[in-house]
Amino acid sequence: MAASVHGGRIGNLPAEANAFIGRGLELAEIAGLLGTSRLVTLTGPGGVGKSRLALRAAHAAKAGFRGGVWLVELSELRNPDLLTNAVAQATRLTEQTLRPLLEAVCEHLAGAPLLLVLDTCEHVLSECARVVRELLANVPELRVLATSRQALGVPGEQLLTVVPLPLGEHDDAVQLFAARAAAAVPSFALTEDNRARVAAVCTRLDGIPLALELAAVRLRSLPLERLLEGLDSRFDLLVSSARPRTARHQTLRTAIGWSHELCTPLERLLWARLSVFAGGWDVEAAEFVCHGGPLDPEQVFPLLVSLTEKSIVTRDVEGLVVRYRMLDTVRSFGAEWLAGLGEAAAVRRRHRDYFRWIARQGEAEWLGPGQRMWAERLTAEHANLRLAVEECLAAPEPETALELTGSLWFFWFACGFAEEGRGYLERALGRAPADGGPEHGLAVWAHRLVTVVPEDLEAAESVSAAYVWLAEERRLPVPALPLTGASLAVRGESARSAVLYGPGGQAPVGDGGAEFFQLMTLALQAYLLAGQAAFERCASVAERLRQDCAKRGEVWMRAWGDFFVALAGIGLGHADEAVASAREALTAKWRVHDRIGAAAVADLLVAAQAARGEDEPAARLMGISRHLWRTAGLPQLGRPDTTVFHREYERRLRASLGDARFTEAVREGGELGVEAAIGMALGGEGGSA
């Protein structure tokens, strides 16, 4: 199954922020190249419009790629080793696998024709080339459209050099400037009287789209004539003092530099300090990271608004969440200015410390009513968390990296980033002495936790030992933690799992990780009781888990309580109640982005639907569950030969429906988009979840 169906839509392309102007010949050439070549790379200098052209071309190509069109934005990626993770995340593959991730990505993308857009490759060029070679070799129907200041150098690569816009009075540069000017100043209109001056501005800016857009915004404070005069005088001054560069690069830097000169001193200072963020930021983060010296925290927001009005910063709104970001070229200018001020190291440390604080807050509040908010917030801050981790790993003291990577256990484990978390935790632990303090214990425990998958019993045993260590370090009571038994139960070895499961003991309190394990112990106890067919006892333990979670306002572990109530209901013959509880569990797991949990609940719904005699819907749900396991990076758990569950229900449903009807129903479920599949599992007809 290809990645085509993820999210209930064909890919993940964002909507275009404004009208696309010109580039008709380039768009036609890209379409032709994608029809004959598997790798097309758009090259050209910064600011020339490569990313926007690729996005427009990708939108135009959607109809030809049944497997979807998927955008992987690499500008915020600082560590080349995480490039495969970025591809996995963009294409909705959860990183919960001990297999090589690139192997899992290749399997995930295979199937239908698919277009992968890799945007801004030049700073991770070697790794891009390696990953693209592997993908093209192992995913036969894949096409790649890349943007980069340099060619990737992969065999078969076709290059298209993106040049500035044509400069005549009736050409694209003038049309782009006029469109952006009208957006900035609604009263502006391109007329025969001002067309020549607009063309002169465009010529002065060499037709570079980013330079044109920055200049168009200045019409809010300057008439067109003054704008042209200012360009002439400022450019002459800045060009004469700048170090040698290509003419077009010089023009773009001069345009940005001119915008910089027109900012107030505090606006320039904020611009420079904002350059430490990756992927965006909110107001709280900007106030913490960027204040200091002449810039008070309460001044940050109005200055941020002013930079937005000048198009130095862009503002994104999704629901009630407002975030800000900068284009790469503008960010780079700010970073150079920050280095010149001698503040780069200090501001990076404040950035690091802010996100250490965010991680600690998230851990403390994860098992509470803000759980969904934290899942979404930290997912939005993923690029900044990566930067903070890298800064910690570069620090001379190893404790900061141990603390940050360990505090994020809930993010790695519950939000689908286990593979990335494992890598960071291994790097942090590799720098620290083995007899470290509480931070070391926390990181060891977190590493064992994100390494637990059903095919790894040794990891399941070691996470129990790691938690005992952590609890002792924090002077907490130590509960029995039967993860080994749970792993055996998944395999259908109920008798052996029962031997390994011991008494619960007193659950620890007063710590985010400790509370988590208090709840997990109940969940695992319910799991093992169900495996022994002790369904009434299972239901009782699961109900206790639900109540403990309800007291905290917690939803992620509460969903496991719903899961085991449903599982016990099936065993006791209460199919209707089982379906209702399983749907509650699925709703919660989906809201906090837990794809592994959603796949497990989909399995349970197969059994619940079958118990109600709804065999064809149950077979469709089996196709859905197999697809969800694939998106979680654990396709083997969706195969009928892997677990007792799948073997048993495959046999039952085939016998009831017949081979042909069963196979068709499973196929139909597996080809639904994920959102549509979740909607169907929740009782709809394949609508949006």
Side-chain angles (χ1 to χ4, degrees), residues 52 125-126 219 355 403 445 484-485 523 641 680:
R52 186 63 196 277
L125 197 67
S126 295
L219 292 179
F355 286 100
E403 178 210 34
W445 161 59
T484 305
D641 60 341
M680 176 176 285

Side-chain angles (χ1 to χ4, degrees), residues 44 65 98 144 156 199 215 249 275 316-317 320 370 475 491 520-521 525 531 565 610 613 615 686:
F65 291 95
L98 292 181
V144 177
H249 190 186
S275 68
D316 299 324
V317 181
L320 299 177
R475 294 182 173 84
R491 296 180 175 195
M520 178 177 265
T521 299
Q525 185 178 2
V565 166
D615 291 345

Side-chain angles (χ1 to χ4, degrees), residues 260-273 294-295 299 303 307 310 337 341:
H260 188 263
E261 284 206 339
L262 293 172
C263 291
T264 67
L266 286 181
E267 287 171 349
R268 296 177 200 168
L269 182 60
L270 180 59
W271 178 349
R273 291 176 177 176
L295 186 54
Q299 294 175 289
L303 290 170
L307 288 177
K310 292 178 169 67
W337 191 263
L341 294 172

